[in-house]
Amino acid sequence: MSQVTLPHDAKAGPTKPEVRAVTLDKLGLRPTDHFVDVGSCTGSVTIEAARRAERVTAVERKPKRLDVTRKNLGANDYDADVTLREAEAPEGLPADADAMFVGGSRNFEAVLDHAVETGVDRVVMNVSRVEPAGDAIEAFRERDLLSEVVQLQVSHGYELAGATSFRSNNPVYVVVGRRGAEGL
């Protein structure tokens, strides 16, 4: 599979490749799925999902970021039917999604309520700050969605004085939900 190309910048994100890999694995996307990316920003998760699922809906509240998603989609190959929606979630979320990625903490409780009400089977939320991560875990638990939580710390090697050192990214909490989950 080709790398995701992101020639356009949204001044936020993108979800790093290693985090996308874990996120998409936890979503377990199938070719027949309808996937929703809530807060598409650069479109990096949208693009990866569009290579795995039949239908993808990207929802972004900021017009400029949605335009970046559109442009980055145009720079990549994928087979899915992709719909872009400018809306503040949970407005604009489809009622027939199989899997959902929540890329930020804005309105996430209402987004989770929508997921539960419409029968979304798999939900993954990535959080980079500790306090919102705790809030997200509790919200998933309260809705009987919490399946697991993974903390990722990715470091990349670089040459330093003839040896290899590592530069680390901030940790990311991957909160994984499944309909009818029994919790941790």
Side-chain angles (χ1 to χ4, degrees):
M1 185 170 297
S2 62
Q3 293 290 322
V4 170
T5 301
L6 301 171
H8 304 279
D9 185 12
K11 305 292 186 236
T15 302
K16 304 294 186 256
E18 298 84 359
V19 176
R20 284 196 312 262
V22 171
T23 297
L24 290 158
D25 178 71
K26 297 300 181 185
L27 282 164
L29 293 179
R30 299 182 287 259
T32 58
D33 277 345
H34 180 188
F35 169 78
V36 179
D37 184 358
V38 182
S40 63
C41 198
T42 64
S44 65
V45 174
T46 302
I47 294 162
E48 293 268 13
R51 293 174 173 176
R52 293 168 171 78
E54 184 174 77
R55 289 189 307 146
V56 173
T57 300
V59 179
E60 174 56 60
R61 69 185 178 92
K62 294 186 175 183
K64 289 182 181 178
R65 287 185 180 174
L66 189 63
D67 190 49
V68 169
T69 297
R70 180 179 294 106
K71 289 176 181 176
N72 284 334
L73 276 163
N76 288 272
D77 295 324
Y78 58 90
D79 293 324
D81 175 20
V82 178
T83 301
L84 303 178
R85 293 184 180 172
E86 182 186 327
E88 173 122 13
E91 301 301 319
L93 296 178
D96 64 342
D98 301 294
M100 179 181 289
F101 171 66
V102 183
S105 58
R106 186 180 185 93
N107 298 337
F108 77 90
E109 285 133 339
V111 171
L112 292 177
D113 288 339
H114 173 86
V116 169
E117 291 164 9
T118 60
V120 175
D121 187 51
R122 292 151 279 142
V123 181
V124 171
M125 180 175 174
N126 289 353
V127 188
S128 60
R129 296 174 295 143
V130 174
E131 292 81 3
D135 294 341
I137 292 165
E138 190 57 33
F140 272 65
R141 184 176 284 124
E142 289 171 354
R143 290 160 179 79
D144 295 323
L145 290 172
L146 188 62
S147 177
E148 71 177 306
V149 181
V150 176
Q151 186 218 32
L152 295 176
Q153 174 67 57
V154 177
S155 301
H156 289 268
Y158 68 97
E159 193 271 326
L160 178 66
T164 303
S165 189
F166 285 86
R167 185 173 293 118
S168 61
N169 292 332
N170 286 333
V172 175
Y173 301 90
V174 181
V175 185
V176 181
R178 303 220 184 287
R179 191 167 26 126
E182 296 185 22
L184 299 177

